[in-house]
Short mmCIF file of all heavy atoms in Angstrom, two decimals:
data_model
loop_
_atom_site.label_atom_id
_atom_site.label_comp_id
_atom_site.label_asym_id
_atom_site.label_seq_id
_atom_site.Cartn_x
_atom_site.Cartn_y
_atom_site.Cartn_z
N ILE A 1 10.81 -64.15 74.17
CA ILE A 1 11.95 -63.65 74.95
C ILE A 1 12.39 -64.72 75.94
O ILE A 1 11.57 -65.22 76.72
CB ILE A 1 11.60 -62.35 75.70
CG1 ILE A 1 11.16 -61.27 74.70
CG2 ILE A 1 12.80 -61.87 76.51
CD1 ILE A 1 10.73 -59.98 75.37
N TYR A 2 13.66 -65.07 75.90
CA TYR A 2 14.23 -66.02 76.84
C TYR A 2 15.16 -65.26 77.79
O TYR A 2 16.16 -64.66 77.35
CB TYR A 2 15.04 -67.09 76.12
CG TYR A 2 14.24 -68.00 75.23
CD1 TYR A 2 14.02 -67.69 73.90
CD2 TYR A 2 13.71 -69.20 75.71
CE1 TYR A 2 13.30 -68.53 73.07
CE2 TYR A 2 12.99 -70.06 74.89
CZ TYR A 2 12.79 -69.71 73.57
OH TYR A 2 12.08 -70.55 72.75
N LEU A 3 14.84 -65.27 79.07
CA LEU A 3 15.71 -64.69 80.08
C LEU A 3 16.56 -65.83 80.65
O LEU A 3 16.06 -66.72 81.33
CB LEU A 3 14.90 -64.02 81.18
CG LEU A 3 14.21 -62.72 80.78
CD1 LEU A 3 13.21 -62.29 81.84
CD2 LEU A 3 15.23 -61.62 80.54
N GLN A 4 17.85 -65.81 80.33
CA GLN A 4 18.74 -66.88 80.77
C GLN A 4 19.30 -66.59 82.16
O GLN A 4 19.73 -65.47 82.44
CB GLN A 4 19.91 -67.04 79.79
CG GLN A 4 19.50 -67.49 78.39
CD GLN A 4 20.72 -67.91 77.60
OE1 GLN A 4 21.23 -69.04 77.76
NE2 GLN A 4 21.20 -67.03 76.74
N ALA A 5 19.31 -67.61 82.98
CA ALA A 5 19.92 -67.48 84.31
C ALA A 5 21.42 -67.26 84.16
O ALA A 5 22.06 -67.77 83.23
CB ALA A 5 19.65 -68.73 85.13
N ASN A 6 21.98 -66.50 85.07
CA ASN A 6 23.43 -66.33 85.10
C ASN A 6 24.10 -67.60 85.59
O ASN A 6 23.63 -68.24 86.54
CB ASN A 6 23.80 -65.16 86.01
CG ASN A 6 23.48 -63.82 85.39
OD1 ASN A 6 24.25 -63.30 84.59
ND2 ASN A 6 22.33 -63.26 85.75
N LEU A 7 25.20 -67.96 84.96
CA LEU A 7 25.95 -69.13 85.41
C LEU A 7 26.54 -68.88 86.79
O LEU A 7 26.94 -67.77 87.12
CB LEU A 7 27.10 -69.43 84.44
CG LEU A 7 26.80 -70.12 83.11
CD1 LEU A 7 28.10 -70.45 82.41
CD2 LEU A 7 25.96 -71.36 83.29
N HIS A 8 26.60 -69.94 87.57
CA HIS A 8 27.31 -69.88 88.84
C HIS A 8 28.81 -69.79 88.59
O HIS A 8 29.28 -70.03 87.47
CB HIS A 8 27.00 -71.12 89.68
CG HIS A 8 25.59 -71.18 90.14
ND1 HIS A 8 24.89 -72.37 90.24
CD2 HIS A 8 24.72 -70.21 90.52
CE1 HIS A 8 23.66 -72.12 90.68
NE2 HIS A 8 23.54 -70.82 90.85
N VAL A 9 29.55 -69.49 89.61
CA VAL A 9 31.01 -69.54 89.56
C VAL A 9 31.45 -70.71 90.43
O VAL A 9 30.67 -71.27 91.19
CB VAL A 9 31.63 -68.21 90.05
CG1 VAL A 9 31.22 -67.07 89.14
CG2 VAL A 9 31.22 -67.91 91.50
N THR A 10 32.73 -71.07 90.33
CA THR A 10 33.23 -72.14 91.17
C THR A 10 33.28 -71.67 92.62
O THR A 10 33.24 -70.46 92.91
CB THR A 10 34.63 -72.58 90.73
OG1 THR A 10 35.52 -71.46 90.81
CG2 THR A 10 34.62 -73.13 89.31
N TYR A 11 33.41 -72.62 93.52
CA TYR A 11 33.46 -72.27 94.95
C TYR A 11 34.62 -71.33 95.24
O TYR A 11 34.48 -70.34 95.95
CB TYR A 11 33.59 -73.54 95.78
CG TYR A 11 33.72 -73.28 97.26
CD1 TYR A 11 32.59 -73.01 98.03
CD2 TYR A 11 34.97 -73.30 97.87
CE1 TYR A 11 32.71 -72.75 99.39
CE2 TYR A 11 35.10 -73.06 99.23
CZ TYR A 11 33.97 -72.78 99.99
OH TYR A 11 34.09 -72.51 101.33
N SER A 12 35.78 -71.62 94.64
CA SER A 12 36.98 -70.81 94.93
C SER A 12 36.94 -69.46 94.24
O SER A 12 37.69 -68.56 94.62
CB SER A 12 38.23 -71.58 94.50
OG SER A 12 38.19 -71.86 93.11
N ALA A 13 36.08 -69.29 93.23
CA ALA A 13 36.02 -68.02 92.49
C ALA A 13 35.09 -67.01 93.16
O ALA A 13 35.03 -65.85 92.74
CB ALA A 13 35.57 -68.26 91.05
N GLN A 14 34.37 -67.44 94.20
CA GLN A 14 33.50 -66.50 94.90
C GLN A 14 34.32 -65.45 95.64
O GLN A 14 35.40 -65.73 96.14
CB GLN A 14 32.61 -67.26 95.88
CG GLN A 14 31.65 -68.24 95.22
CD GLN A 14 30.78 -68.96 96.23
OE1 GLN A 14 29.63 -68.61 96.45
NE2 GLN A 14 31.35 -69.99 96.85
N THR A 15 33.80 -64.25 95.67
CA THR A 15 34.45 -63.15 96.37
C THR A 15 33.44 -62.51 97.32
O THR A 15 32.30 -62.96 97.42
CB THR A 15 34.96 -62.09 95.37
OG1 THR A 15 33.82 -61.48 94.72
CG2 THR A 15 35.87 -62.71 94.33
N ALA A 16 33.87 -61.46 97.98
CA ALA A 16 32.94 -60.75 98.87
C ALA A 16 31.81 -60.12 98.08
O ALA A 16 30.70 -59.94 98.59
CB ALA A 16 33.70 -59.67 99.64
N SER A 17 32.05 -59.80 96.81
CA SER A 17 31.03 -59.15 95.97
C SER A 17 30.22 -60.15 95.16
O SER A 17 29.02 -59.96 94.94
CB SER A 17 31.70 -58.14 95.03
OG SER A 17 32.37 -57.14 95.75
N ILE A 18 30.87 -61.19 94.67
CA ILE A 18 30.20 -62.17 93.81
C ILE A 18 30.17 -63.51 94.50
O ILE A 18 31.21 -64.15 94.69
CB ILE A 18 30.93 -62.29 92.45
CG1 ILE A 18 30.94 -60.95 91.73
CG2 ILE A 18 30.24 -63.33 91.57
CD1 ILE A 18 31.67 -60.95 90.40
N THR A 19 29.00 -63.93 94.89
CA THR A 19 28.79 -65.24 95.51
C THR A 19 27.68 -65.95 94.76
O THR A 19 26.85 -65.32 94.09
CB THR A 19 28.40 -65.11 96.99
OG1 THR A 19 27.11 -64.47 97.07
CG2 THR A 19 29.43 -64.30 97.77
N ASN A 20 27.64 -67.26 94.89
CA ASN A 20 26.57 -68.01 94.24
C ASN A 20 25.22 -67.74 94.89
O ASN A 20 24.18 -67.81 94.22
CB ASN A 20 26.90 -69.50 94.24
CG ASN A 20 27.94 -69.86 93.19
OD1 ASN A 20 28.01 -69.22 92.13
ND2 ASN A 20 28.75 -70.86 93.46
N ASP A 21 25.22 -67.41 96.16
CA ASP A 21 23.96 -67.01 96.80
C ASP A 21 23.45 -65.71 96.17
O ASP A 21 22.25 -65.56 95.92
CB ASP A 21 24.16 -66.82 98.30
CG ASP A 21 24.28 -68.14 99.04
OD1 ASP A 21 23.86 -69.17 98.48
OD2 ASP A 21 24.79 -68.14 100.18
N GLY A 22 24.35 -64.78 95.92
CA GLY A 22 23.96 -63.54 95.27
C GLY A 22 23.48 -63.77 93.85
O GLY A 22 22.51 -63.13 93.40
N ILE A 23 24.13 -64.68 93.13
CA ILE A 23 23.72 -65.02 91.77
C ILE A 23 22.34 -65.67 91.80
O ILE A 23 21.47 -65.38 90.96
CB ILE A 23 24.76 -65.94 91.11
CG1 ILE A 23 26.06 -65.18 90.89
CG2 ILE A 23 24.24 -66.49 89.78
CD1 ILE A 23 27.21 -66.04 90.41
N ASN A 24 22.11 -66.55 92.77
CA ASN A 24 20.79 -67.20 92.89
C ASN A 24 19.69 -66.18 93.16
O ASN A 24 18.59 -66.28 92.61
CB ASN A 24 20.81 -68.23 94.02
CG ASN A 24 21.61 -69.47 93.66
OD1 ASN A 24 21.78 -69.79 92.47
ND2 ASN A 24 22.10 -70.18 94.66
N ASN A 25 19.99 -65.20 93.99
CA ASN A 25 19.00 -64.17 94.29
C ASN A 25 18.67 -63.36 93.04
O ASN A 25 17.50 -63.07 92.74
CB ASN A 25 19.51 -63.25 95.39
CG ASN A 25 18.51 -62.18 95.77
OD1 ASN A 25 17.33 -62.45 95.98
ND2 ASN A 25 18.95 -60.93 95.85
N LEU A 26 19.71 -63.00 92.28
CA LEU A 26 19.50 -62.26 91.04
C LEU A 26 18.71 -63.10 90.04
O LEU A 26 17.78 -62.60 89.38
CB LEU A 26 20.84 -61.83 90.44
CG LEU A 26 20.78 -61.10 89.10
CD1 LEU A 26 19.96 -59.82 89.21
CD2 LEU A 26 22.19 -60.81 88.58
N ASN A 27 19.07 -64.37 89.91
CA ASN A 27 18.35 -65.25 88.98
C ASN A 27 16.88 -65.38 89.36
O ASN A 27 16.00 -65.44 88.49
CB ASN A 27 19.01 -66.63 88.95
CG ASN A 27 20.32 -66.63 88.19
OD1 ASN A 27 20.61 -65.71 87.42
ND2 ASN A 27 21.12 -67.66 88.40
N TYR A 28 16.60 -65.44 90.65
CA TYR A 28 15.21 -65.53 91.10
C TYR A 28 14.42 -64.29 90.70
O TYR A 28 13.29 -64.40 90.21
CB TYR A 28 15.16 -65.73 92.61
CG TYR A 28 13.75 -65.69 93.17
CD1 TYR A 28 12.85 -66.72 92.91
CD2 TYR A 28 13.32 -64.60 93.94
CE1 TYR A 28 11.55 -66.67 93.41
CE2 TYR A 28 12.04 -64.55 94.43
CZ TYR A 28 11.15 -65.59 94.17
OH TYR A 28 9.87 -65.53 94.65
N ARG A 29 15.02 -63.13 90.87
CA ARG A 29 14.33 -61.90 90.50
C ARG A 29 14.14 -61.83 88.99
O ARG A 29 13.11 -61.33 88.50
CB ARG A 29 15.12 -60.69 90.99
CG ARG A 29 15.19 -60.55 92.51
CD ARG A 29 13.80 -60.32 93.10
NE ARG A 29 13.18 -59.11 92.60
CZ ARG A 29 13.38 -57.89 93.09
NH1 ARG A 29 14.20 -57.74 94.15
NH2 ARG A 29 12.78 -56.85 92.57
N ILE A 30 15.09 -62.34 88.23
CA ILE A 30 14.95 -62.37 86.77
C ILE A 30 13.83 -63.32 86.37
O ILE A 30 13.06 -63.05 85.44
CB ILE A 30 16.28 -62.77 86.11
CG1 ILE A 30 17.33 -61.67 86.34
CG2 ILE A 30 16.10 -63.02 84.62
CD1 ILE A 30 18.72 -62.04 85.86
N SER A 31 13.70 -64.45 87.07
CA SER A 31 12.62 -65.39 86.77
C SER A 31 11.26 -64.76 87.04
O SER A 31 10.29 -65.02 86.32
CB SER A 31 12.78 -66.67 87.60
OG SER A 31 12.48 -66.44 88.98
N GLN A 32 11.16 -63.93 88.06
CA GLN A 32 9.91 -63.22 88.33
C GLN A 32 9.62 -62.21 87.23
O GLN A 32 8.45 -61.99 86.87
CB GLN A 32 10.00 -62.49 89.68
CG GLN A 32 9.98 -63.41 90.89
CD GLN A 32 10.01 -62.63 92.19
OE1 GLN A 32 10.80 -61.70 92.36
NE2 GLN A 32 9.13 -62.98 93.12
N LEU A 33 10.65 -61.61 86.67
CA LEU A 33 10.48 -60.65 85.59
C LEU A 33 9.87 -61.30 84.36
O LEU A 33 9.07 -60.68 83.65
CB LEU A 33 11.83 -60.01 85.24
CG LEU A 33 11.80 -58.85 84.25
CD1 LEU A 33 11.03 -57.67 84.83
CD2 LEU A 33 13.23 -58.44 83.90
N ALA A 34 10.21 -62.55 84.14
CA ALA A 34 9.64 -63.27 82.99
C ALA A 34 8.13 -63.38 83.10
O ALA A 34 7.43 -63.40 82.08
CB ALA A 34 10.27 -64.66 82.87
N ASP A 35 7.62 -63.44 84.33
CA ASP A 35 6.16 -63.53 84.52
C ASP A 35 5.46 -62.21 84.27
O ASP A 35 4.24 -62.18 84.09
CB ASP A 35 5.86 -64.01 85.95
CG ASP A 35 6.36 -65.42 86.21
OD1 ASP A 35 6.44 -66.20 85.24
OD2 ASP A 35 6.66 -65.74 87.37
N GLU A 36 6.20 -61.12 84.27
CA GLU A 36 5.60 -59.81 84.10
C GLU A 36 5.34 -59.46 82.63
O GLU A 36 4.52 -58.58 82.33
CB GLU A 36 6.49 -58.72 84.71
CG GLU A 36 6.67 -58.83 86.22
CD GLU A 36 7.56 -57.73 86.76
OE1 GLU A 36 7.72 -56.70 86.05
OE2 GLU A 36 8.10 -57.90 87.87
N PHE A 37 6.03 -60.14 81.73
CA PHE A 37 5.93 -59.80 80.31
C PHE A 37 5.40 -61.00 79.54
O PHE A 37 5.81 -62.14 79.75
CB PHE A 37 7.30 -59.40 79.76
CG PHE A 37 7.79 -58.06 80.26
CD1 PHE A 37 8.44 -57.97 81.48
CD2 PHE A 37 7.58 -56.92 79.53
CE1 PHE A 37 8.91 -56.74 81.95
CE2 PHE A 37 8.02 -55.68 79.98
CZ PHE A 37 8.68 -55.59 81.19
N GLU A 38 4.49 -60.71 78.62
CA GLU A 38 3.88 -61.76 77.82
C GLU A 38 4.91 -62.41 76.90
O GLU A 38 5.81 -61.75 76.39
CB GLU A 38 2.74 -61.17 77.00
CG GLU A 38 1.94 -62.19 76.20
CD GLU A 38 0.80 -61.56 75.44
OE1 GLU A 38 0.63 -60.32 75.52
OE2 GLU A 38 0.08 -62.29 74.75
N ASN A 39 4.75 -63.71 76.71
CA ASN A 39 5.60 -64.49 75.80
C ASN A 39 7.07 -64.42 76.21
O ASN A 39 7.96 -64.40 75.37
CB ASN A 39 5.44 -63.98 74.36
CG ASN A 39 5.70 -65.07 73.34
OD1 ASN A 39 5.67 -66.26 73.65
ND2 ASN A 39 5.96 -64.68 72.10
N SER A 40 7.31 -64.41 77.53
CA SER A 40 8.67 -64.38 78.06
C SER A 40 8.88 -65.59 78.96
O SER A 40 7.99 -65.97 79.71
CB SER A 40 8.91 -63.09 78.85
OG SER A 40 8.71 -61.96 78.04
#
């Protein structure tokens, strides 16, 4: 199982809801999830 990180958006495409900091936080949590499951 490959958990792919979400792509960032451009600086100008960031909004109040979608920011690259928010994407980084989500990607970090997804990377931790890979450690919870074997062969991921």
Side-chain angles (χ1 to χ4, degrees):
I1 301 177
Y2 295 89
L3 288 169
Q4 296 192 80
N6 287 278
L7 283 186
H8 293 144
V9 297
T10 59
Y11 177 80
S12 60
Q14 296 181 99
T15 65
S17 299
I18 300 178
T19 66
N20 284 329
D21 285 341
I23 293 173
N24 288 336
N25 182 48
L26 177 60
N27 286 342
Y28 174 70
R29 294 296 300 275
I30 293 173
S31 72
Q32 289 182 314
L33 187 64
D35 295 332
E36 296 180 20
F37 289 84
E38 185 178 0
N39 208 19
S40 301

